[in-house]
Amino acid sequence: DIQMTQSPSSLSASVGDRVSITCRASQGINNYLAWFQQKPGKAPKSLIYAASSLQSGVPSKFSGSGYGTDFTLTISSLQPEDFATYYCQQYKNYPYTFGQGTKLEIK
Amino acid sequence: QVQLVQSGVEVKKPGASVKVSCKASGYIFTSYYMHWVRQAPGQGLEWMGTITPSGESTTYAQKFQGRVAITRDTSTSTVYMDLSSLRSDDTAVYFCATLGASFDHWGQGTLVTVSS
């Protein structure tokens, strides 16, 4: 199975900040990587697919980059609604696997 | 608009089975895979398995092999996830999702509680 490792596990930031979350795959996955945002009690919401493509309706403050094994999600100009948990997920091979999550909290 | 509507809360005893449904609307049901993902309380997301658009083939995570069955009924645009031999650590919210790169939609989740 492909292991997905996110860092950091938690992150404290202020409104207006720019933050980055990284995701490393245990083997190359080309660009078969998605990023999700999840708020308490809700289903995950897709933000990015194919490592860097913005999902329809997602604001351009979210951006993704990377290829192979190392990927980054960047969120610019944090707003209160952006404080949530973020997951990466590889869909190169079955079983699909998720990172352990990064909880973004208000400082 | 695309909607995936799941069945309601389930409470089961250890050793029992549960069947969760996911009714799709707003898109061509037979064009996309359907996946099941679960989330234990306070934990991350765990992929369980998937079924092909036609329903002819399934793939399951090794962890659930022999205990899970995913089926689909194209006449009602509904996908089912059947999990047997339930244990307390199966307590989780179960989501159906298309996980289709640019076509990514999720159900609202179904809480399954396993308790004696």
Side-chain angles (χ1 to χ4, degrees), chain B residues 54-68:
Chain B
S54 65
E56 290 181 359
S57 179
T58 52
T59 303
Y60 303 121
Q62 181 73 23
K63 174 177 180 176
F64 301 103
Q65 285 279 0
R67 282 210 303 144
V68 69

Side-chain angles (χ1 to χ4, degrees), chain A residues 38 43 46 49 55 87 94 96, chain B residues 35 39 47 50 101-102 104 107:
Chain A
Q38 188 179 32
S46 177
Y49 65 96
Q55 201 65 253
Y87 295 93
Y94 292 136
Y96 288 179
Chain B
H35 302 259
Q39 186 170 39
W47 183 85
T50 188
S102 61
D104 191 278

Side-chain angles (χ1 to χ4, degrees), chain A residues 36 38 41-46 49-50 55 87 89 91 94-100, chain B residues 33 35 37 39 43-47 50 59 61 95 99 101-104 106-108:
Chain A
F36 296 89
Q38 188 179 32
K42 299 293 188 182
K45 173 188 172 183
S46 177
Y49 65 96
Q55 201 65 253
Y87 295 93
Q89 178 236 332
Y91 53 99
Y94 292 136
Y96 288 179
T97 45
F98 292 86
Q100 80 278 18
Chain B
Y33 286 65
H35 302 259
V37 174
Q39 186 170 39
Q43 302 302 308
L45 301 167
E46 182 175 33
W47 183 85
T50 188
T59 303
F95 296 99
L99 295 184
S102 61
F103 188 79
D104 191 278
W106 292 64
Q108 82 277 18

Side-chain angles (χ1 to χ4, degrees), chain B residues 59-104:
Chain B
T59 303
Y60 303 121
Q62 181 73 23
K63 174 177 180 176
F64 301 103
Q65 285 279 0
R67 282 210 303 144
V68 69
I70 299 173
T71 56
R72 66 196 292 160
D73 181 346
T74 54
S75 69
T76 60
S77 299
T78 301
V79 178
Y80 300 92
M81 188 282 299
D82 211 319
L83 187 62
S84 60
S85 302
L86 289 169
R87 307 184 287 254
S88 58
D89 62 358
D90 290 318
T91 294
V93 176
Y94 291 76
F95 296 99
C96 59
T98 57
L99 295 184
S102 61
F103 188 79
D104 191 278

Side-chain angles (χ1 to χ4, degrees), chain A residues 34-53:
Chain A
W35 287 98
F36 296 89
Q37 176 194 67
Q38 188 179 32
K39 296 182 179 179
K42 299 293 188 182
K45 173 188 172 183
S46 177
L47 301 173
I48 301 280
Y49 65 96
S52 60
S53 296

